[in-house]
Amino acid sequence: MTTYRSDAAAPADATESAVSEPVPAPSPITVPSFAVITGAQVQRALEGRERQIVELVEATYRLHAAGDSVNPPSYFLRFPDRPTARIIALPASIGGQVRVDGVKWISSFPDNVRAGIPRASAVLILNDHDTGYPFACLEGSVISACRTAAMAASAADRLSRHRRRPTRVGFFGTGLIARYIHTYLTATGWSFDQIGVHDLSADSAAGFRTYLQRTATGRITVHAGPEQLIRSSDLVVFATVAGRPHVTDPAWFDHNPLVLHVSLRDLAPEIVLASANVVDDVDHCLKADTSPHLAEQLTGNRDFLTGTLHDVMTDRVSLPDDRPVVFSPFGLGVLDLAVGKQVYDAVTDTGRLHVVDDFFHELRRHG
């Protein structure tokens, strides 16, 4: 009887051993422990690391652009009896050195402000890459604010590199996000001769002014109306809770400022169409009636988009200096995961990680 075998399976020579090299046993898969990280721990882990977080956010955008992430659409939970409120789920997965899955669950209840408590609250769940088990629950509002401020600071730097660097900043909306954006701008080398402030709430504007007086240099002006704020600013930061456009006159932007349109729904489509527009992710940003989405609905196309922030970072697009430049970031869940994993690692390194023993109970398939 003749036995056939392929050449590939034949030994290289007659003296080669017929015994195969031992194959190492796969590493055992174990269920991770589960930890809870408080807001105070999150803040301590991130405070003073603004430059590092900006670099992390930019690295995450690179991973996302390279396809080493999964970032499906955000899911909006809305309430017929509370039309201004919503809770959003941002599931995501990121590769690279981070290698973590998870979801941010963030609520926005604007009426909270009347009661003197923040509008937004959030938790971030981190899931183990290999088993899928959640291994941490982190207070998420500080993480969300930091990643938002970091991407705003990155955009301010990247979008102004071939334009005159702004020296007059105006904040339209003066809540937590505005404060974090100012902190990140300052920590990454920005200083301003003039700082403008405008908010529909006089108390909020006054509180933000007090914060600026403690932390900022330059002349601070509280503007009674939005037009004065915009016309007197080279860098305009929108950080409001607006649900629909309320700034409608393109002439207010005739001086071609750089606009960080963080709250996404402030600008009328006509202003968007008269500007160079940069987003963080095209498909994510052009949805849910954001200002760029309304511009798409009005025109039937996306020709008004100049590109993404990653395109700017890699010099794939150039920006004009004879039009306003508007950055509209929808905010990607992968950014929260990257910052959250860094917080988890930092808290672990301190030895103060609060592990919930026996959080997972039924770990045998058949009891």
Side-chain angles (χ1 to χ4, degrees), residues 200-259:
L200 295 179
S201 166
D203 289 342
S204 183
F208 191 62
R209 180 178 185 172
T210 300
Y211 154 76
L212 291 172
Q213 288 172 333
R214 295 195 309 265
T215 60
T217 58
R219 182 164 59 90
I220 302 167
T221 302
V222 176
H223 294 276
E227 181 177 0
Q228 301 96 310
L229 175 85
I230 294 168
R231 288 188 181 274
S232 63
S233 303
D234 307 316
L235 174 64
V236 184
V237 179
F238 283 95
T240 74
V241 296
R244 61 180 62 88
H246 55 97
V247 176
T248 60
D249 191 346
W252 294 0
F253 300 83
D254 282 347
H255 57 302
N256 303 323
L258 172 58
V259 180

Side-chain angles (χ1 to χ4, degrees), residues 136-212:
C137 175
L138 301 86
E139 196 285 327
S141 67
V142 175
I143 291 172
S144 185
C146 286
R147 67 85 153 144
T148 300
M151 68 186 183
S154 172
D157 175 51
R158 297 285 181 170
L159 301 181
S160 63
R161 288 194 176 183
H162 300 292
R163 295 162 55 95
R164 186 176 63 181
R165 190 172 174 90
T167 60
R168 304 175 301 163
V169 64
F171 289 90
F172 196 146
T174 56
L176 179 77
I177 297 299
R179 174 161 58 85
Y180 270 80
I181 290 175
H182 177 264
T183 297
Y184 269 70
L185 288 172
T186 301
T188 52
W190 288 84
S191 62
F192 301 100
D193 299 330
Q194 299 179 36
I195 303 177
V197 175
H198 173 69
D199 197 288
L200 295 179
S201 166
D203 289 342
S204 183
F208 191 62
R209 180 178 185 172
T210 300
Y211 154 76
L212 291 172

Side-chain angles (χ1 to χ4, degrees), residues 77-79 82-87 108-110:
L77 177 62
R78 299 185 184 276
F79 314 97
R82 292 156 289 168
T84 64
R86 64 182 186 267
I87 307 179
S108 174
F109 279 55

